[in-house]
Amino acid sequence: METIRGRMSHSIGLTELSERLADYNQISLDLGTGDGRFVRCMAEKQKDRFFIGVDACRENLRANSLRKLPNALFVIANAHALPFELNGLASHITINFPWGSLLESLLSNDRCLMDGLLVITRPCAAMEIHLNGEALSTAGWTLEAGADQIENNLNASGWNTKSKSCIDEHTLRSLPTTWAKRLAFGRDPRAIRLSFQRE
Ligand SMILES: C[S@@+](CC[C@H](N)C(=O)[O-])C[C@H]1O[C@@H](n2cnc3c(N)ncnc32)[C@H](O)[C@@H]1O
């Protein structure tokens, strides 16, 4: 699969990936990682866990992927066609403030995405999703109705809801993602957090 560090892309196979992951029990995968800030911050904070950021767009990843961290990796891939090297790896998934085709697929119960989420996770894996009002209204949904739709789709696809809550500007500011900061200081800071556990 294709990984990126700064401007350099590097193809990594199963053997090299297994070596990188050998010392880690917990593997978190951040889907639609954007500029990778969340992965960089979390990897710096939780050194006993390995963090993988995945995004279809490479340009935004240049700065954060340059930081040399033993427990972080950035993968260029589309969420609808996740590389087989990730199969069965993730103990945790995060999807922070999805937009575009990632958000559309959560809303439409797209099989490629939903099946892919099951394929890359371990049994009992946890998943946390943050949704924001503006992205959902661009997709034609209210925040509440869009969150309900996504929750129902995931429940039908093997994920049990653990919690669902509105989050405020203060909580948004505390999340180490670039988009959370933007939203917290923007016009529409409404957001919902959904947590799931795989059946
Ligand atoms: C609003 S940004 C959020 C970025 C980051 N999670 C954050 O909180 O700062 C949404 C991200 O989803 C990515 N994305 C959208 N559709 C995708 C897809 N089908 N596969 C992978 N990434 C996708 C975009 O490239 C973008 O980086």
Side-chain angles (χ1 to χ4, degrees):
M1 65 185 171
E2 183 186 0
T3 66
I4 194 151
R5 189 148 174 255
R7 289 178 182 276
M8 303 290 288
S9 80
H10 170 64
S11 176
I12 178 170
L14 272 180
T15 310
E16 189 180 344
L17 183 63
S18 305
E19 285 166 10
R20 293 263 337 245
L21 300 177
D23 294 335
Y24 301 90
N25 286 326
Q26 304 291 311
I27 298 171
S28 289
L29 194 142
D30 186 42
L31 206 50
T33 199
D35 65 2
R37 184 173 193 269
F38 180 77
V39 164
R40 177 179 63 75
C41 290
M42 296 305 289
E44 285 170 347
K45 220 185 279 178
Q46 295 184 31
K47 297 199 187 317
D48 58 346
R49 186 183 282 210
F50 199 99
F51 291 84
I52 301 176
V54 178
D55 206 286
C57 175
R58 71 191 60 235
E59 278 71 30
N60 298 335
L61 274 168
R62 285 192 176 133
N64 283 310
S65 66
L66 251 188
R67 190 76 60 98
K68 200 164 174 29
L69 291 165
N71 59 334
L73 188 69
F74 293 95
V75 173
I76 304 301
N78 195 307
H80 307 110
L82 291 165
F84 74 89
E85 289 88 345
L86 299 176
N87 289 4
L89 279 188
S91 54
H92 297 81
I93 299 265
T94 44
I95 306 180
N96 292 318
F97 312 105
W99 69 14
S101 62
L102 183 52
L103 180 60
E104 289 291 349
S105 299
L106 288 167
L107 287 163
S108 66
N109 206 12
D110 176 87
R111 286 324 318 161
C112 293
L113 176 69
M114 294 297 180
D115 293 348
L117 288 174
L118 293 179
V119 168
I120 61 169
T121 48
R122 303 176 191 167
C124 298
M127 175 156 62
E128 189 164 85
I129 301 182
H130 288 106
L131 300 165
N132 66 291
E134 198 177 338
L136 276 161
S137 84
T138 303
W141 294 77
T142 63
L143 177 60
E144 294 73 18
D148 287 348
Q149 172 80 0
I150 289 171
E151 182 186 12
N152 290 338
N153 288 343
L154 283 163
N155 291 161
S157 294
W159 294 89
N160 293 327
T161 306
K162 300 290 286 178
S163 67
K164 182 182 192 181
S165 54
C166 291
I167 55 173
D168 59 16
E169 289 159 60
H170 178 74
T171 308
L172 275 176
R173 277 198 290 274
S174 71
L175 289 175
T177 94
T178 296
W179 212 253
K181 309 272 179 247
R182 254 185 230 181
L183 292 170
F185 295 104
R187 269 182 308 141
D188 186 358
R190 292 170 311 126
I192 286 182
R193 174 185 288 156
L194 291 165
S195 301
F196 301 92
Q197 184 159 34
R198 216 188 106 167
E199 283 167 4

